[in-house]
Amino acid sequence: DIVMTQAPLSVSVTPGESASISCRSSKSLLHSNGITYVYWYLQKPGKSPQLLIYRMSNLASGVPDRFSGSGSETDFTLKISRVEAEDVGIYYCGQLLENPYTFGAGTKLELK
Amino acid sequence: QVQLKESGPGLVQPSQTLSLTCTVSGFSLTSNSVHWVRQPPGKGLEWVGAIWSGGSTDYNSALKSRLSISRDTSKSQVFLKMNSLQTEDTAIYFCTRRRDFDYWGQGVMVTVSS
């Protein structure tokens, strides 16, 4: 199984500042079709996960452009610019390249 | 608009079979896959399995021997059946759409306990 390793496991951010979350996969997530199958989700307290970034760098519908995704074949970053109160929750990276699809352990974002 | 809603028993006895239903609206099951993802209390996400638009299925190998996913396209419903339940199967079970997991249901809490 592909292992997804996130860092840090928690981050505390002052509103208005930026935050970055890293994710590393144990195997390249670059498919032969040129698509890198890494995704980012946010689970707000008591809610279902919501899609933020798909295929490494594409912003999901309705997601503020303060969120951005980048990376290589095995190392990925989610950046949040100008953090707001509504960004609080647990961020998960996930690989949807091969069965079984797997997720990182999550990064908890809190406000200072 | 796209919606998914899980339903099923909240409590299941150990060794028994879990049956969950995901009722969808706003999209067609013959054009979209539906996946099941579960989350033990206070823990992370685990992909359980999927039924693809053509009706084929894929399962997490760790659960494959106990798992069955099917659908009724006329009712826009996807079904999950998992047998031989153990306490470690206690989790919130979500259904979600497409390989991107772009829309999620609210989840249903399943507790395995006698």
Side-chain angles (χ1 to χ4, degrees):
Chain A
D1 298 0
I2 297 176
V3 177
M4 304 294 285
T5 303
Q6 285 185 237
L9 295 185
S10 66
V11 62
S12 184
V13 185
T14 301
E17 298 292 308
S18 65
S20 289
I21 300 170
S22 296
C23 178
R24 176 169 292 177
S25 60
S26 61
K27 176 181 175 180
S28 172
L29 300 184
L30 176 62
H31 191 277
S32 56
N33 62 11
I35 296 173
T36 303
Y37 285 90
V38 66
Y39 294 71
W40 292 94
Y41 302 89
L42 166 60
Q43 188 171 31
K44 297 183 179 181
K47 301 293 186 181
S48 305
Q50 61 182 91
L51 177 65
L52 296 175
I53 302 290
Y54 64 97
R55 302 177 190 178
M56 191 169 72
S57 59
N58 297 279
L59 198 64
S61 177
V63 176
D65 61 6
R66 300 182 290 102
F67 292 87
S68 62
S70 63
S72 62
E73 296 186 22
T74 59
D75 288 274
F76 313 100
T77 301
L78 174 72
K79 183 174 181 179
I80 312 167
S81 304
R82 306 180 305 280
V83 169
E84 299 183 3
E86 66 177 18
D87 302 334
V88 165
I90 301 176
Y91 291 79
Y92 294 96
C93 62
Q95 68 82 16
L96 304 185
L97 176 67
E98 64 181 41
N99 181 347
Y101 303 143
T102 51
F103 299 89
T107 296
K108 187 174 185 178
L109 185 145
E110 300 175 318
L111 298 182
K112 283 184 182 176
Chain B
Q1 69 277 29
V2 172
Q3 290 187 324
L4 302 93
K5 185 172 184 180
E6 307 85 349
S7 59
L11 180 66
V12 181
Q13 295 203 343
S15 80
Q16 297 302 301
T17 297
L18 172 66
S19 295
L20 297 176
T21 299
C22 175
T23 302
V24 309
S25 60
F27 67 96
S28 168
L29 293 178
T30 57
S31 302
N32 295 271
S33 59
V34 170
H35 300 248
W36 290 93
V37 174
R38 70 181 183 177
Q39 184 174 37
K43 296 190 177 180
L45 304 169
E46 178 183 30
W47 178 76
V48 173
I51 187 162
W52 300 95
S53 58
S56 62
T57 54
D58 274 322
Y59 303 124
N60 188 319
S61 54
L63 304 169
K64 188 173 184 176
S65 63
R66 302 192 289 133
L67 189 60
S68 174
I69 297 174
S70 60
R71 69 184 185 183
D72 183 334
T73 57
S74 67
K75 294 183 178 179
S76 295
Q77 292 180 323
V78 174
F79 309 105
L80 177 149
K81 289 191 188 301
M82 185 182 300
N83 59 34
S84 304
L85 252 60
Q86 301 302 318
T87 54
E88 51 264 34
D89 294 313
T90 294
I92 300 172
Y93 286 74
F94 298 99
C95 55
T96 179
R97 189 184 78 153
R98 294 183 179 168
R99 187 179 174 181
D100 289 348
F101 301 173
D102 58 352
Y103 286 88
W104 295 65
Q106 63 191 20
V108 58
M109 180 68 206
V110 174
T111 301
V112 181
S113 175
S114 55

